[in-house]
Amino acid sequence: MLRNPTIYVIGLCFGRQNIAGMLDVADQFCDINFPSHKITRIVVDNSLLNKTEQSISRYAYISGDNTNHEFSGWQSGIDFVLKNFSPSSNDVCILVNDTVHQRNYAIGGDRYFESFVIRRSSSFWPERWAAGYVDDFPTEASIFGYPVKKWIRSNFIVFNWSCVDLITPLVVPCDENSLFADDISHGFWSGDAPLSPNWKAYISSWLFGNEDPRYPEYLLKWIKHQKLTPDNLNFFRKKSVSILSEHYLTARLLRGGVDIYDFNSFPKPLDRHLTPYYK
């Protein structure tokens, strides 16, 4: 197996203010795990309205697609790599967004990605692999016919290029209008959406703070959770599609038999789905 893959870092931003911090995190990870490897950096800016492809010092700077936030933007980055380079199956892709340097899930002073070292494992290189910070549900749910029990958090995802055909397109394969009720007086989700009842309940707890007595095993709430109103309906629809895309990515990796390596070295208490277990 070739031991010196090219590393393609595809960073997603909305405006330039956090590019340096985002790329610094990716570079730190590469310094630990891929020293002396060639790194090609592509920054996709979803705030750009006009098509842009520029070379700026250490990275290519291109316009993205904000239709589905980071996932449609990252798709633009993957398409750019395919158009301009010739990635081999063992090359490595890192998808990172511009919030990652602000999220310090620390263990003993190390951020979560610093406590995981790929090159320490001589058996790390299966044909297809992926890595990231893995979250989970208390029970298996399903989306689009795929089982969902765990997923890689989408602010920092690493995989070898042979996984690309499994996970693209990155955005979920349906019209988002088919996922949601026509009127919030009927709830948030469409009754016909291809999502299991417990998945809907878990995400409703996360986004809106709703507690469904049928599913008391999951009570986690996002720090920005709000009661659903007509004013925030569009925001939460977009956020839901992003969460679906995040879960859909990992679900396809697992169905494809991809080995997933977990950055999450926190102890996993039994009540972790009832109360936050990290800082």
Side-chain angles (χ1 to χ4, degrees):
M1 177 68 73
L2 183 63
R3 293 294 178 174
N4 287 307
T6 296
I7 315 302
Y8 292 96
V9 174
I10 302 177
L12 191 284
C13 65
F14 195 88
R16 296 192 181 194
Q17 60 268 32
N18 294 317
I19 291 175
M22 171 180 69
L23 293 181
D24 284 348
V25 167
D27 284 351
Q28 289 170 40
F29 181 83
C30 291
D31 287 345
I32 295 169
N33 290 290
F34 303 109
S36 304
H37 291 60
K38 179 182 178 181
I39 302 174
T40 298
R41 303 171 184 84
I42 298 97
V43 172
V44 183
D45 190 340
N46 273 4
S47 74
L48 297 176
L49 300 179
N50 299 317
K51 183 173 177 59
T52 300
E53 292 184 3
Q54 301 176 12
S55 178
I56 300 180
S57 61
R58 56 197 275 236
Y59 58 86
Y61 179 67
I62 69 172
S63 52
D65 174 1
N66 203 44
T67 305
N68 293 106
H69 300 306
E70 62 262 51
F71 290 92
S72 52
W74 279 324
Q75 185 66 56
S76 297
I78 288 174
D79 293 343
F80 179 85
V81 172
L82 291 171
K83 183 179 77 171
N84 292 281
F85 304 94
S86 299
S88 65
S89 61
N90 72 302
D91 286 341
V92 174
C93 184
I94 299 176
L95 302 181
V96 59
N97 70 25
D98 62 354
T99 69
V100 67
H101 66 292
Q102 301 165 351
R103 309 292 292 276
N104 187 29
Y105 313 121
I107 291 285
D110 289 336
R111 285 180 290 184
Y112 65 93
F113 66 87
E114 293 169 335
S115 63
F116 181 85
V117 181
I118 292 174
R119 60 188 167 85
R120 286 181 183 164
S121 173
S122 60
S123 62
F124 186 80
W125 303 97
E127 181 180 355
R128 286 175 161 171
W129 60 267
Y133 188 107
V134 175
D135 283 314
D136 65 0
F137 283 145
T139 60
E140 185 176 278
S142 68
I143 59 173
F144 310 112
Y146 289 80
V148 175
K149 181 65 166 64
K150 64 181 181 179
W151 63 91
I152 301 172
R153 226 175 253 190
S154 62
N155 59 356
F156 196 95
I157 305 173
V158 188
F159 50 88
N160 65 340
W161 201 265
S162 64
C163 294
V164 167
D165 63 317
L166 292 177
I167 62 173
T168 53
L170 294 178
V171 178
V172 293
C174 67
D175 178 359
E176 68 177 62
N177 290 325
S178 68
L179 300 172
F180 306 110
D182 294 333
D183 190 307
I184 63 171
S185 64
H186 301 140
F188 183 63
W189 307 103
S190 167
D192 298 326
L195 314 170
S196 64
N198 62 332
W199 192 93
K200 294 178 183 178
Y202 296 161
I203 302 306
S204 294
S205 173
W206 181 250
L207 295 179
F208 311 124
N210 295 347
E211 296 185 8
D212 189 327
R214 298 173 298 170
Y215 304 101
E217 67 272 16
Y218 188 93
L219 299 176
L220 295 182
K221 299 173 178 60
W222 186 30
I223 192 171
K224 296 180 181 179
H225 76 274
Q226 297 177 23
K227 181 180 178 180
L228 183 64
T229 69
D231 290 338
N232 62 27
L233 175 61
N234 187 61
F235 170 81
F236 280 115
R237 282 188 169 194
K238 293 294 186 186
K239 180 65 177 177
S240 298
V241 172
S242 291
I243 293 171
L244 269 170
S245 297
E246 178 180 63
H247 293 187
Y248 184 52
L249 186 155
T250 301
R252 286 179 289 172
L253 289 173
L254 291 172
R255 180 168 286 186
V258 175
D259 292 317
I260 293 181
Y261 298 85
D262 189 0
F263 292 178
N264 183 354
S265 56
F266 287 94
K268 297 178 176 62
L270 295 178
D271 67 349
R272 66 185 181 275
H273 303 110
L274 303 176
T275 184
Y277 69 102
Y278 57 81
K279 297 180 179 180

